[in-house]
Amino acid sequence: VKSEFVANSATGAVDVVMTTIDGAPIHYTLDGTEPTAASPVCDSILTIKESCTLKAVAVRPTGNSRVVSEKVNFSKSSMKPIVANQPINEQYLFKGASTLIDGLKGNSSYKSGRWIAFNGNDMDMTIDLQQPTEISSVAISTNVAKGDWVFDARNLSVETSDDGKTFKKIASEEYPEMKETDKDGIVEHKLTFAPVTTQYVRVIASPEKSLPAWHGGKGKNAFLFVDEIKID
């Protein structure tokens, strides 16, 4: 079963298209249970509007396919309009800014298409919550693979606005320069603050501007790979 997930900001849902090479019927569940031939059939676009665990299987007379499983996690930023105020690295653009609000978490591979990269400039995103919304936290994930010049963020800040033009910083945090002994892998960053009601949220994270002296690429720009901006 091949699946494609598309964040639909017009409907606030994630649209899932599932296909098989031979057109075999695809049965699915949304509650994490194993799908069987008695489960609903996905014969068009599957629209998901809340957090769930999607599991799907192709049922054939010769036997079922392996089960495809995907967790979709909704937050207040999920499937909302998002714009990049600074460039996304073209080499790792994948589906672009919508990658950050599609409810899908990236795994340890930064090349999987679930992460997008920034190099030489900040990750600088504005999300339109579409109506005044109370929020009290913003979180991002970064992917670290030091040998590939992929480093953690050096800072994270959150700004809010009622009109999408004039923003006020409400929270920020600085992170230390990475050491050679720091582990690779996924890093979670979360800012928590007093509740504020806003429509527009600007989230900014800066990459390492100059790789450290201990690194083979010393002096060069590091890559910052980010996934899922989670606003609650």
Side-chain angles (χ1 to χ4, degrees):
V1 178
K2 183 181 178 183
S3 58
E4 182 179 4
F5 294 76
V6 179
N8 188 335
S9 60
T11 62
V14 59
D15 294 332
V16 187
V17 178
M18 293 187 287
T19 56
T20 54
I21 294 174
D22 58 356
I26 300 169
H27 295 258
Y28 72 94
T29 61
L30 295 175
D31 59 3
T33 59
E34 294 299 300
T36 67
S39 303
V41 175
C42 180
D43 53 10
S44 61
I45 295 174
L46 179 63
T47 299
I48 296 176
K49 289 196 169 186
E50 59 186 22
S51 297
C52 68
T53 298
L54 167 65
K55 290 191 174 185
V57 65
V59 175
R60 299 182 175 95
T62 54
N64 296 352
S65 71
R66 69 178 181 86
V67 174
V68 172
S69 180
E70 190 73 62
K71 280 189 175 182
V72 182
N73 294 295
F74 273 70
S75 74
K76 292 178 180 178
S77 51
S78 299
M79 321 312 158
K80 297 295 194 298
I82 183 172
V83 294
N85 302 309
Q86 296 187 44
I88 302 168
N89 181 263
E90 289 189 7
Q91 185 180 357
Y92 300 105
L93 177 64
F94 299 112
K95 290 185 179 179
S98 66
T99 304
L100 301 179
I101 48 83
D102 62 5
L104 304 173
K105 295 286 283 183
N107 61 19
S108 58
S109 171
Y110 64 84
K111 299 177 181 178
S112 65
R114 295 283 173 85
W115 303 86
I116 57 175
F118 303 86
N119 181 270
N121 59 261
D122 294 343
M123 180 208 78
D124 184 346
M125 297 286 169
T126 300
I127 299 169
D128 179 1
L129 301 178
Q130 298 184 301
Q131 62 184 15
T133 304
E134 184 178 273
I135 66 171
S136 59
S137 71
V138 173
I140 66 169
S141 301
T142 63
N143 197 327
V144 175
K146 298 188 304 298
D148 292 349
W149 301 24
V150 178
F151 273 46
D152 194 12
R154 288 303 306 276
N155 55 58
L156 176 63
S157 65
V158 177
E159 301 177 0
T160 58
S161 171
D162 294 327
D163 60 8
K165 298 172 184 176
T166 305
F167 284 82
K168 177 185 178 182
K169 184 184 288 189
I170 58 167
S172 64
E173 198 166 51
E174 300 290 324
Y175 307 117
E177 183 177 296
M178 296 201 76
K179 302 187 294 293
E180 193 169 4
T181 53
D182 288 339
K183 291 182 178 179
D184 289 354
I186 297 172
V187 182
E188 307 283 348
H189 295 293
K190 184 175 183 178
L191 294 177
T192 303
F193 41 86
V196 58
T197 298
T198 187
Q199 179 166 336
Y200 299 91
V201 182
R202 188 176 182 182
V203 184
I204 304 168
S206 299
E208 188 70 64
K209 293 295 195 292
S210 179
L211 288 166
W214 56 261
H215 195 276
K218 67 179 180 180
K220 303 287 189 181
N221 291 331
F223 284 89
L224 173 65
F225 276 82
V226 182
D227 180 33
E228 217 55 21
I229 298 174
K230 191 169 182 285
I231 300 178
D232 284 306

